Structure formats: C-alpha cells, structure tokens
Amino acid sequence: NTRTITKALEMQSAVSSTLSEIESASYTIRRENIRKLESFFAKNESPLYPYARLIVEQAHMYGVDYRLIPAIAMNESTL
C-alpha cells in the first residue's frame, strides 16, 4: 500500500541522514586526531610525522585507539 511505502521511504531518508551525520562527525574526529598526532610527532622530532594520517586512518579501520600504534613503535624502537 502507498502509505506503507511512503513511511518506509521516510524512515530510509531519516536513517540515511543520521548515518551521514555520524560519518561527518567521525571524519572530524579523525582529522583532529591526525592534527594531535602530527603535533606530538613534531614536538618529539619523530620520523613518524609523515605517517600520522595513515596511522589514524588504519587505527580507525581496525577499531584500535590511534595512540596505541605510536606508543608501541616508540617503546620498541628509537622512533
């Protein structure tokens, strides 16, 4: 029936809008985390500076706290 289809389309639109807002917020947070990590690497003269974006993006992709990767790398080496 037409009313059911209309309701379903409205719900789909609402869900799509919410997902867009979540993705936008997530992107903003990752961008801020990249800035924080770049600042940390610059302050510590780390050769990992050019990899800040990659570290944050990969951490996000695999559900890992982005700070864990440099913490391990810096603990296990002279980075």
Side-chain angles (χ1 to χ4, degrees):
N1 114 18
T2 304
R3 203 164 48 191
T4 303
I5 292 171
T6 302
K7 275 288 199 195
L9 290 173
E10 288 171 359
M11 288 176 59
Q12 179 184 13
S13 176
V15 167
S16 179
S17 176
T18 300
L19 288 175
S20 291
E21 290 172 15
I22 290 170
E23 288 173 4
S24 177
S26 178
Y27 175 76
T28 300
I29 291 168
R30 287 195 315 271
R31 201 172 61 220
E32 178 64 18
N33 291 343
I34 291 167
R35 187 197 63 72
K36 289 177 185 176
L37 200 53
E38 286 175 337
S39 176
F40 175 78
F41 287 154
K43 179 181 171 186
N44 290 284
E45 299 178 359
S46 173
L48 291 175
Y49 180 88
Y51 302 100
R53 177 178 297 280
L54 178 65
I55 290 169
V56 171
E57 293 296 336
Q58 292 298 306
H60 173 74
M61 183 186 311
Y62 290 102
V64 175
D65 187 319
Y66 75 96
R67 296 168 292 192
L68 180 62
I69 298 166
I72 292 171
M74 294 175 87
N75 189 55
E76 295 293 327
S77 68
T78 59
L79 299 174

